[in-house]
């Protein structure tokens, strides 16, 4: 609903990986994709690249329509945009994604923290404590995520490094959930 207090999670690709922007309502944890972009199959996919302006415009739309209180975004491939969003929206954000950035969160590191966040998110899904809008593309990305045991527990990943089955929606959902937890703890 317009004016809802939300958090955002973002995982961005460029050409092959998908890009996902997920909103999560603070009050009840309702998850809703605002946008998921994937390279089209066939000839349309040749030389395809995600429209970064369209993604950035959607971020601006979210900040105009909702009360965004936290925004965690994986920095890989999107550093300049994330820096710009952090500068533009800093007065509205109440929780930091990392010590160095309001929004930027590097998912290439922090394996222990991400493993615990994955376990919490999966348990919430199993327990029926993560309401969602049954978005087919997000459902597919969540279903594509595979268990990845490590020394801290069980994280997630793609079926294989080169798998065409995307999990970026799951990553953005996880970042939104982490943003919500950080907001509630702040």
């Amino acid at each position: 609903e317009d004016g809802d207090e939300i958090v955002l999670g973002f995982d961005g690709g460029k050409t092959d990986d998908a890009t996902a922007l997920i909103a999560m309502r603070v009050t009840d944890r309702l998850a809703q994709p605002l946008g998921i972009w994937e390279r089209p199959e066939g000839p349309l996919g040749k030389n395809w690249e995600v429209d970064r302006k369209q993604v950035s415009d959607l971020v601006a739309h979210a900040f105009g329509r909702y009360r965004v209180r936290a925004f965690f975004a994986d920095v890989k491939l999107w550093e300049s945009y994330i820096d710009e969003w952090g500068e533009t929206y800093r007065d509205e954000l109440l929780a930091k994604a990392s010590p160095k950035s309001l929004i930027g969160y590097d998912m290439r590191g922090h394996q222990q923290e991400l493993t615990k966040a994955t376990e919490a998110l999966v348990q919430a899904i199993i327990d029926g404590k993560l309401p969602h809008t049954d978005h087919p593309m997000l459902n597919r990305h969540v279903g594509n995520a595979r268990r990845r045991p490590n020394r801290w527990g069980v994280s997630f990943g793609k079926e294989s490094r080169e798998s065409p089955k995307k999990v970026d929606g799951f990553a953005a959902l996880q970042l939104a959930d982490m943003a919500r937890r950080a907001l509630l703890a702040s």
Side-chain angles (χ1 to χ4, degrees):
E1 303 280 328
D2 288 354
D4 276 352
E5 215 171 29
I6 67 166
V7 297
L8 296 174
F10 175 79
D11 185 46
K14 185 176 178 183
T15 56
D16 184 43
D17 275 346
T19 295
L21 179 65
I22 307 292
M24 184 176 283
R25 194 164 46 205
V26 174
T27 56
D28 61 0
R29 214 178 187 182
L30 175 72
Q32 166 65 44
L34 298 181
I36 300 178
W37 298 261
E38 290 182 343
R39 183 179 72 196
E41 293 191 17
L44 291 176
K46 187 177 181 180
N47 299 321
W48 179 85
E49 194 170 309
V50 68
D51 184 338
R52 290 174 179 246
K53 183 181 180 329
Q54 183 183 55
V55 173
S56 195
D57 288 349
L58 191 57
V59 168
H61 177 77
F63 275 89
R65 183 174 179 187
Y66 308 106
R67 293 180 297 144
V68 180
R69 299 302 183 216
F71 183 6
F72 285 21
D74 186 18
V75 297
K76 186 178 178 187
L77 304 175
W78 286 79
E79 291 91 346
S80 63
Y81 284 86
I82 290 165
D83 290 345
E84 180 182 320
W85 296 335
E87 184 64 30
T88 302
Y89 304 114
R90 69 173 177 227
D91 294 340
E92 298 173 54
L93 300 170
L94 304 176
K96 289 181 77 170
S98 67
K100 295 180 181 181
S101 176
L102 268 174
I103 295 174
Y105 186 90
D106 193 343
M107 292 185 82
R108 295 169 288 195
H110 308 100
Q111 189 177 28
Q112 183 176 7
E113 183 179 2
L114 287 168
T115 298
K116 296 303 177 194
T118 299
E119 290 176 344
L121 178 61
V122 169
Q123 194 60 52
I125 292 169
I126 290 168
D127 294 344
K129 293 183 178 176
L130 189 89
H132 58 92
T133 57
D134 205 25
H135 189 278
M137 199 177 297
L138 178 59
N139 289 348
R140 182 167 38 84
H141 283 223
V142 170
N144 289 342
R146 295 293 174 255
R147 297 168 48 89
R148 293 287 178 258
N150 61 48
R151 65 183 182 184
W152 295 288
V154 180
S155 190
F156 80 99
K158 287 170 57 171
E159 186 175 68
S160 67
R161 183 169 170 80
E162 298 304 318
S163 173
K165 295 180 178 180
K166 305 304 178 196
V167 298
D168 307 275
F170 182 88
L173 178 64
Q174 179 177 348
L175 287 164
D177 199 46
M178 290 170 65
R180 181 178 176 271
R181 277 198 317 270
L183 176 68
L184 294 176
S186 70

